[in-house]
Amino acid sequence: MAYDVAALEKLVEQFRKFPAVGRKTAQRMAFHVLDLTDEEAQAFADAILESHAKIHHCKLCHNLTENELCPICESPNRDHSTVCVVEDPRDVMAMERPRDYAGVYHVLHGVISPMNGVGPDQLTIKSLVERVAGGEVKEVIMATNPTIEGDTTAMYISKLVKPFGVKVTRLAYGIPVGADIEYADDVTLMRALEGRSEL
Amino acid sequence: MAYDVAALEKLVEQFRKFPAVGRKTAQRMAFHVLDLTDEEAQAFADAILESHAKIHHCKLCHNLTENELCPICESPNRDHSTVCVVEDPRDVMAMERPRDYAGVYHVLHGVISPMNGVGPDQLTIKSLVERVAGGEVKEVIMATNPTIEGDTTAMYISKLVKPFGVKVTRLAYGIPVGADIEYADDVTLMRALEGRSEL
């Protein structure tokens, strides 16, 4: 049911554009905004505008940052000869979680997807090739998602950077740790079998 | 994991304050905001500020409106002698959905809840009593939620308005239509039995 209050309706419509937010949730969110004090609403609006004003892409790896270079690219403690290629900034965050990876990143900001009209030129592939051509990079780890588009993108990039003599690897496919083999899907099982290692 | 991007972290924190939004969802929402164009982000921020600038309470029933009186209070097609008392504006919306109720409303903006420090003075009870004292109201339908606080509030209001000679009623409790008696909770079953009607 629509509200007779235009300003509220407008706010609900804004929230409906969020991923996985239906009308009911959007209404709940709009009411949350109404329940804020005027100062809180102002702070919320400011945070939105500030995120757009301040955040841009790292000149080198295209991850999000407020500076010219992101902290990972700037860090002397990271191995700048290993570049992990991911689809978007959220993937960097996921990869950083285990605190295990010491290399740097390259954020594509998407995948090659002819269906959605995304070609290699809309991604940061050219900039990656330039980094590799620079000579410092020894290994490129493809960490695009295990989807048709992710795989295609990984293959495409692999062909572009291999001529520079770098090692190109891919994250392992397999049974997720803690998961039940019984419930693993066929493709994952197939990949797990292919990628089996000696005990 | 925290972002090293302060403006993003700030935005995530804003979304975490929303009801039923955890860190992961807040992140997803913040990234949605980042993905907006600058114009869209501006429109979103404007919608938030506009909702605070334009929306206020109807002078008569305290429902949300952009005008002095809400469309329901202003309508000559509604029965202004029947007032349905609800906890908040969302309840008005719910009651309006079946398009069955022809009376008007009174929005309390909460319930009496000593636990949360909400007394009768923080609600719009005084204004309801004034409406009833005005003489036009013949029936007050209590539609507060079937909780201890909702029931307490209904009882409290009932005692205040009955002396004016108005009829005070309560929404029926019972088995929800379409629900299975087997799975109904004990209190609902008890109330359904108490409220049984002749066939």
Side-chain angles (χ1 to χ4, degrees):
Chain A
M1 208 205 103
Y3 287 86
D4 296 313
V5 187
L8 182 57
E9 195 51 47
K10 221 162 159 183
L11 193 57
V12 170
E13 281 314 308
Q14 287 288 344
F15 282 117
R16 282 213 61 175
K17 292 181 198 156
F18 279 75
V21 169
R23 176 135 190 104
K24 277 240 171 158
T25 308
Q27 282 173 352
R28 200 165 0 110
M29 296 173 88
F31 272 107
H32 164 80
V33 170
L34 279 185
D35 287 343
L36 296 175
T37 64
D38 284 355
E39 289 71 35
E40 286 167 339
Q42 185 68 55
F44 183 29
D46 287 347
I48 290 163
L49 296 176
E50 205 182 294
S51 74
H52 270 253
K54 288 197 179 166
I55 300 172
H56 47 257
H57 295 173
C58 169
K59 232 178 69 175
L60 200 57
C61 78
H62 304 275
N63 194 4
L64 302 176
T65 179
E66 292 183 13
N67 306 311
E68 209 179 337
L69 288 178
C70 75
I72 295 175
C73 282
E74 261 189 341
S75 169
N77 301 321
R78 310 287 299 219
D79 167 14
H80 292 266
S81 71
T82 308
V83 177
C84 177
V85 177
V86 295
E87 291 182 18
D88 69 43
R90 274 154 281 199
D91 299 329
V92 173
M93 217 177 41
M95 291 291 300
E96 286 292 286
R97 239 185 277 125
R99 298 172 183 277
D100 208 33
Y101 177 66
V104 293
Y105 295 93
H106 194 89
V107 182
L108 297 173
H109 288 284
V111 273
I112 297 170
S113 169
M115 291 276 286
N116 299 315
V118 181
D121 293 347
Q122 276 109 306
L123 307 176
T124 64
I125 294 178
K126 195 168 158 248
S127 143
L128 173 64
V129 175
E130 281 163 11
R131 279 177 87 177
V132 172
E136 212 200 335
V137 179
K138 292 204 177 76
E139 177 175 357
V140 172
I141 304 170
M142 299 306 311
T144 49
N145 288 318
T147 58
I148 293 176
E149 281 134 344
D151 287 341
T152 308
T153 308
M155 287 305 290
Y156 180 87
I157 291 174
S158 165
K159 275 180 194 158
L160 283 179
V161 297
K162 266 187 180 162
F164 294 98
V166 293
K167 188 171 156 189
V168 181
T169 56
R170 178 118 192 45
L171 287 190
Y173 290 118
I175 315 288
V177 177
D180 206 320
I181 292 178
E182 188 181 343
Y183 299 119
D185 65 284
D186 295 0
V187 181
T188 300
L189 272 179
M190 208 174 70
R191 298 292 184 100
L193 196 63
E194 278 168 20
R196 68 189 180 278
S197 61
E198 231 172 296
L199 278 177
Chain B
M1 209 204 102
Y3 287 87
D4 296 313
V5 188
L8 182 56
E9 194 52 44
K10 220 161 158 183
L11 194 55
V12 171
E13 281 313 309
Q14 287 288 342
F15 282 117
R16 282 213 62 173
K17 292 181 199 157
F18 279 75
V21 170
R23 176 138 191 106
K24 277 239 170 159
T25 308
Q27 281 173 352
R28 202 169 353 113
M29 296 173 91
F31 273 107
H32 163 79
V33 170
L34 279 185
D35 287 342
L36 296 174
T37 65
D38 285 354
E39 290 71 35
E40 285 168 338
Q42 185 68 56
F44 183 29
D46 287 348
I48 290 162
L49 297 176
E50 206 182 294
S51 74
H52 270 252
K54 288 195 179 168
I55 301 172
H56 46 256
H57 294 172
C58 168
K59 231 177 69 173
L60 201 57
C61 77
H62 304 275
N63 194 5
L64 302 177
T65 180
E66 292 183 13
N67 306 310
E68 208 179 337
L69 288 179
C70 75
I72 295 174
C73 282
E74 261 188 339
S75 167
N77 301 321
R78 308 288 298 222
D79 167 14
H80 293 265
S81 71
T82 307
V83 177
C84 177
V85 177
V86 295
E87 291 182 19
D88 70 44
R90 274 155 281 200
D91 299 329
V92 172
M93 219 178 39
M95 291 290 300
E96 285 293 284
R97 238 185 277 128
R99 297 172 184 280
D100 208 35
Y101 178 66
V104 293
Y105 295 92
H106 194 87
V107 182
L108 297 173
H109 289 284
V111 272
I112 297 171
S113 168
M115 290 275 287
N116 298 314
V118 180
D121 292 347
Q122 275 108 307
L123 308 176
T124 64
I125 294 178
K126 195 169 159 246
S127 142
L128 173 64
V129 175
E130 280 163 11
R131 279 177 87 176
V132 172
E136 213 201 335
V137 179
K138 292 204 180 74
E139 177 175 357
V140 172
I141 304 171
M142 299 306 311
T144 50
N145 287 319
T147 58
I148 293 177
E149 278 133 348
D151 286 344
T152 308
T153 308
M155 286 305 291
Y156 180 87
I157 292 173
S158 165
K159 275 182 194 158
L160 282 179
V161 298
K162 267 187 178 163
F164 294 98
V166 294
K167 187 170 157 189
V168 180
T169 56
R170 178 117 192 44
L171 287 190
Y173 289 119
I175 315 289
V177 178
D180 206 320
I181 292 178
E182 188 181 342
Y183 299 119
D185 64 285
D186 296 0
V187 181
T188 301
L189 273 179
M190 207 175 71
R191 299 291 185 102
L193 195 65
E194 276 169 21
R196 68 192 181 276
S197 60
E198 232 172 297
L199 278 176

